[in-house]
Amino acid sequence: MRTSVIVQNLKCGGCSNTIKTKLSDIENISDVAVEVEENKVSFNFQNKSDAIIVKDKLRTLGYPSIEEENSLGSKAKSFVSCATGKFSS
């Protein structure tokens, strides 16, 4: 199955690189795609619980879904994730 999540704090290719790398490491998650302009993360998953794991991982990286609070902590985490993604690409 395939789904998409609209996230907050998605700014650039560095963010995209971090998200792709971290989500691709999750078991049962594949074909991760990030559309920066649309703030959208799409991926294939096997079980509903896999999709929940992805949303949790996105939140811990600083990219909460649009339904969730975008706290100062999330914004700071996304800044770090973004910088990490820029340096690892």
Side-chain angles (χ1 to χ4, degrees):
M1 296 179 276
R2 186 158 184 85
T3 192
S4 298
V5 178
I6 305 299
V7 297
Q8 302 176 72
N9 305 325
L10 185 57
K11 298 177 268 321
C12 67
C15 298
S16 174
N17 188 43
T18 295
I19 290 169
K20 287 179 190 175
T21 301
K22 297 296 184 180
L23 296 188
S24 294
D25 288 344
I26 300 172
E27 188 175 349
N28 299 328
I29 302 301
S30 62
D31 196 24
V32 178
V34 179
E35 297 177 42
V36 176
E37 301 81 22
E38 297 181 25
N39 297 313
K40 184 164 70 171
V41 178
S42 304
F43 55 93
N44 292 334
F45 65 100
Q46 291 184 9
N47 305 304
K48 186 176 180 177
S49 61
D50 299 330
I52 293 169
I53 291 168
V54 168
K55 283 183 78 172
D56 289 343
K57 184 64 171 182
L58 286 166
R59 184 181 331 100
T60 64
L61 292 170
Y63 306 102
S65 69
I66 59 168
E67 305 93 33
E68 299 175 296
E69 179 186 356
N70 190 14
S71 67
L72 183 58
S74 290
K75 293 175 186 176
K77 288 178 189 175
S78 73
F79 180 79
V80 172
S81 292
C82 175
T84 302
K86 286 180 182 178
F87 290 118
S88 64
S89 59

PDB file of all heavy atoms in Angstrom, residues 6-7 17 49 53 61:
ATOM      1  N   ILE A   6       1.380  14.908   4.910  1.00  0.00           N
ATOM      2  CA  ILE A   6       1.754  16.318   4.780  1.00  0.00           C
ATOM      3  C   ILE A   6       2.408  16.714   6.092  1.00  0.00           C
ATOM      4  O   ILE A   6       1.823  16.541   7.165  1.00  0.00           O
ATOM      5  CB  ILE A   6       0.521  17.208   4.487  1.00  0.00           C
ATOM      6  CG1 ILE A   6      -0.237  16.720   3.259  1.00  0.00           C
ATOM      7  CG2 ILE A   6       0.945  18.667   4.340  1.00  0.00           C
ATOM      8  CD1 ILE A   6       0.550  16.724   1.970  1.00  0.00           C
ATOM      9  N   VAL A   7       3.638  17.239   6.005  1.00  0.00           N
ATOM     10  CA  VAL A   7       4.415  17.553   7.202  1.00  0.00           C
ATOM     11  C   VAL A   7       4.715  19.046   7.301  1.00  0.00           C
ATOM     12  O   VAL A   7       4.574  19.788   6.331  1.00  0.00           O
ATOM     13  CB  VAL A   7       5.733  16.755   7.234  1.00  0.00           C
ATOM     14  CG1 VAL A   7       5.468  15.266   7.300  1.00  0.00           C
ATOM     15  CG2 VAL A   7       6.623  17.084   6.058  1.00  0.00           C
ATOM     16  N   ASN A  17      16.644  14.772   2.062  1.00  0.00           N
ATOM     17  CA  ASN A  17      17.660  13.728   2.152  1.00  0.00           C
ATOM     18  C   ASN A  17      17.592  13.007   3.493  1.00  0.00           C
ATOM     19  O   ASN A  17      17.637  11.772   3.556  1.00  0.00           O
ATOM     20  CB  ASN A  17      19.051  14.320   1.925  1.00  0.00           C
ATOM     21  CG  ASN A  17      20.111  13.260   1.817  1.00  0.00           C
ATOM     22  OD1 ASN A  17      19.929  12.242   1.179  1.00  0.00           O
ATOM     23  ND2 ASN A  17      21.254  13.507   2.459  1.00  0.00           N
ATOM     24  N   SER A  49       0.241  -0.301  11.031  1.00  0.00           N
ATOM     25  CA  SER A  49       1.187   0.033  12.100  1.00  0.00           C
ATOM     26  C   SER A  49       2.495   0.589  11.535  1.00  0.00           C
ATOM     27  O   SER A  49       3.148   1.421  12.175  1.00  0.00           O
ATOM     28  CB  SER A  49       1.456  -1.177  12.991  1.00  0.00           C
ATOM     29  OG  SER A  49       2.027  -2.227  12.240  1.00  0.00           O
ATOM     30  N   ILE A  53       4.378   4.148  12.537  1.00  0.00           N
ATOM     31  CA  ILE A  53       5.801   4.235  12.875  1.00  0.00           C
ATOM     32  C   ILE A  53       6.462   5.356  12.082  1.00  0.00           C
ATOM     33  O   ILE A  53       7.280   6.111  12.604  1.00  0.00           O
ATOM     34  CB  ILE A  53       6.510   2.881  12.643  1.00  0.00           C
ATOM     35  CG1 ILE A  53       6.029   1.861  13.677  1.00  0.00           C
ATOM     36  CG2 ILE A  53       8.020   3.020  12.685  1.00  0.00           C
ATOM     37  CD1 ILE A  53       6.437   0.436  13.383  1.00  0.00           C
ATOM     38  N   LEU A  61      12.104  13.489  14.037  1.00  0.00           N
ATOM     39  CA  LEU A  61      13.075  14.207  13.199  1.00  0.00           C
ATOM     40  C   LEU A  61      12.784  15.702  13.122  1.00  0.00           C
ATOM     41  O   LEU A  61      13.600  16.465  12.617  1.00  0.00           O
ATOM     42  CB  LEU A  61      13.084  13.622  11.782  1.00  0.00           C
ATOM     43  CG  LEU A  61      13.637  12.217  11.633  1.00  0.00           C
ATOM     44  CD1 LEU A  61      13.360  11.691  10.219  1.00  0.00           C
ATOM     45  CD2 LEU A  61      15.126  12.190  11.930  1.00  0.00           C
TER      46      LEU A  61
END
